[in-house]
Amino acid sequence: MTTTVPGIPAARGAIDALGPAELLHRLRARGSSAEDSPITHIEHVASRAGRTVPWPPWVQEPLRDAYGFQPWEHQATAASLAHAGQHVVLATGTASGKSLAYQMPALSRLLDDPRATVLYLSPAKALAADQLRALIRLGIDGVRPATYDGDTPREEREWVRQHSRFVLTNPDMLHHALLPGHARWAPFLRRLAYVVIDECHSYRGVFGSHVAHVLRRLRRLAAQYGSSPTFILASATSGDPADAAARLTGLPVTAVTEDASPRGAVTFALWEPPLLPPAVETVEQLAEAAAGAQSPRSGQTLHSGQSLHSGQSLHSGQSLHSGQSLHCGRSDADLLADAAGTRTRRSALSETADLLADAVVAGTRTLAFVRSRRGAEVVAAMARRSLDEAVPGLGDRVAAYRAGYLKEDRRAIEQALLSGDLLALASTNALELGVDLVGLDAVLICGYPGTRASLWQQAGRAGRAGGEALAVLVARDDPLDTYLVHHPEALFGRPVEATVLDPTNPYVLGPQLCCAAAEAPLRPADLSLFGAEAAREAVEALTRSGALRKRPTGWYWTHQGRPDVDLRGTGGAPVAVVESATGRLLGTVDQGSSHAMLHPGAVYLHQGTSHVVDDLDLDESVALVHAEEPEWSTHARDVTDLSVVAVREYVDAGPVGLFLGDVDVTSQVVSYQRRRLGSGEVIDTRPLDLPPRELRTVAVWFTISPRELQTAGVPQADIPGALHAAEHAAIGLLPLIATCDRWDIGGLSTANHADTECPTVFVYDGHPGGAGFAERAYGTATEWLRATREAIASCGCTTGCPSCVQSPKCGNGNNPLDKEKAISVLDAVQAALTAARP
């Protein structure tokens, strides 16, 4: 099989296409021997035959004919439960045909009852658009499916309200438009038969808690209009899907989990980028990838005025063969660490760009998942440049895909990938959820996506037509990724995580009750829907504050406008980044990151061009910037204070204590460092005058007595560095047991805390009221801290590195840190807890 590159003469544009197994063989040949191979583990997942069953007798003939095939057993089982009026969640693997399971009962009802309606909710516009195309292809008369989202023109929205019987939308539109305007949707809600919640495992943390109440508001209004819809949920394989679906909807839900669909064989490789030699690179090389390693919430902004270019290239006249490797250069994380004299690994971004270029050379259709929008752009740009230097025009077969693109651009990219015009795509998780990308051969995952559910969801994008597939997890230089590539048993053969959400969070419940009251007065009978006693306490507090007013008929919203509630829980409106000279909007940054990323003097990167922040107006949520290419990067420094408000639970383990409770966290960005590009030399530290930010949240913490530390070999002088290193590693490993990202949580360590009067390590949820992560950490503390200890001990560095105890978001510049003494601390804590909680 050959793939012809458009616009290039056939002699130079033909590529011998390799299958997934052949591609992996080429990739693993990068090392000169098995010992220095970047592949730490290869897992082979066997193929599986499918089991079909006859169509359920209630499915009409036109619907059977439209599909033209028999359903898999799990599809028919879930569909029959929903048809019988039972709320059901189907939790099976990627590409197992979950769409048919909800389409069967929903479309059958629409055919039986010409007035019935269906509401479909998805977390991503791309997924809703994909489902719309599938429904239109079926050609069922009278259904009139339509999307209702931010891309829907206003002139079309009225038609959707009046005529569509199968509306595809998302929780944000349901919250901001459909429910507040329910009077205009009354005919639709009155006849609502089914509510479909696709990819329901994605609703977790604060966002999931908000969505849980949005669904309760929907149920309340539907009941007021006389309908009681059946809920059908589709989920990736997850821990206890029935319980998670019940917490999300507030309803009893039956789970169908046995997957009867066929599956092609999957080869899954764990890939650890190689260690770099301790050499300082040029400023040009540093600038080359400065856009890439910056996490959107890390508080470190790096400057790049240079275009991306390859660290190694091929002359355009060279022949191109499928085993050829292209190397795309090194990232700023690599180079800054080298400049500081620290031995680090090549960045996952650079490594993923190399692998993506290699896949194009091999003619293998590949999708690379990258965690940040900026990272996706950089990976695509590096791969394109490397390919163009090999064969001009070959880079056109690579593109980036992320949220924020115009609707037309997103659809064009999706179509180009499906048609084969594109061979490779670097995407954020915008393409993780359900979009039917048939014919992909390989998936590259740049950094662990945070949960095993997301890992398998992304890996499942390849081989969707039942063919053999390759998935490669490229580890970032951080504790969790390093732990996973050396402990494959933590990924393979284990059930995926349970979804964590907490609808009783008062910082979620209160605002959602205000939204409900603004839509229709809250009756006493409604409170059981929103959480009974917790809802009653919240309503009373809202009445005392004046947000609600109690009347004989219920509680009323007292203000003119609707409540301003952000489902994503980002802590307010995003800060707009505006170019001073032109007034052009460059982008936005969430409130939580704005102090660190947009403080006066910060270097802000936008599409490869650096800007310097002139002013940050927090009242107006605007940062003014001007274009400039300084010879330094900026790094914010902050101070954090934490006080214990209340202890919910605790374990007394003698010299060690483990606690779960409510805390107040006060943090303030107080200064920033300017560091010279190339050398990492600190030029100066400049003070900042920014207000402190306060957070009431939930934390887990452990204490250990000074005497026990002394016994463990940790003298008084080494306690701060030991606890600090243990804190960093514990934060990095928490996503292993809770469905969170390290950017969702924070930490604090101290040799003597005022409230505990002991050496203490705190780890807290980074959202008001908590998001359930600290509770999960408390319940699995022994497993969590054991993994933390193993991650530190198994790292090959001597004094600590980004793979074990250094943190990319440390406000103290990763100082002090004591790797060896952190192991001693964790050994002592784990031994005491194991004895107390066998």
Side-chain angles (χ1 to χ4, degrees), residues 89-93 98 197-201 233-238 241:
V89 56
L90 179 59
T92 52
K98 291 186 281 286
I197 306 174
D198 209 353
E199 307 290 355
C200 67
H201 62 278
L233 300 94
S235 170
T237 305
S238 63

Side-chain angles (χ1 to χ4, degrees), residues 94-276:
T94 306
S96 59
K98 291 186 281 286
S99 298
L100 178 60
Y102 61 73
Q103 288 174 3
M104 265 194 278
L107 294 176
S108 293
R109 180 63 180 273
L110 296 185
L111 287 172
D112 283 340
D113 180 356
R115 294 172 58 80
T117 60
V118 173
L119 181 67
Y120 168 94
L121 299 174
S122 77
K125 293 178 184 177
L127 177 54
D130 187 67
Q131 291 297 309
L132 177 63
R133 289 191 292 266
L135 290 168
I136 291 173
R137 282 196 301 268
L138 290 173
I140 306 298
D141 291 337
V143 173
R144 299 185 294 275
T147 53
Y148 186 83
D149 56 31
D151 291 338
T152 307
R154 294 205 170 271
E155 58 271 18
E156 291 183 17
R157 296 186 181 188
E158 185 62 31
W159 184 93
V160 174
R161 279 195 296 268
Q162 293 183 2
H163 300 291
S164 177
R165 299 176 61 214
F166 200 125
V167 173
L168 300 99
T169 186
N170 53 64
D172 301 273
M173 286 296 287
L174 183 61
H175 165 64
H176 288 293
L178 197 151
L179 295 180
H182 62 86
R184 290 174 293 169
W185 287 87
F188 183 90
L189 293 172
R190 190 174 293 115
R191 303 190 291 264
L192 187 60
Y194 287 102
V195 175
V196 177
I197 306 174
D198 209 353
E199 307 290 355
C200 67
H201 62 278
S202 64
Y203 300 121
R204 57 185 178 88
V206 171
F207 178 47
S209 301
H210 274 293
V211 171
H213 285 296
V214 172
L215 295 176
R216 286 158 173 78
R217 287 160 49 200
L218 171 64
R219 289 174 51 207
R220 184 175 80 113
L221 291 175
Q224 290 183 13
Y225 285 108
S227 68
S228 180
T230 299
F231 281 72
I232 309 174
L233 300 94
S235 170
T237 305
S238 63
D240 201 355
D243 179 69
R247 281 184 285 116
L248 185 64
T249 61
L251 296 163
V253 180
T254 302
V256 176
T257 58
E258 187 171 349
D259 193 339
S261 65
R263 181 185 63 197
V266 180
T267 300
F268 207 129
L270 303 183
W271 186 287
E272 184 174 42
L275 283 168
L276 295 167

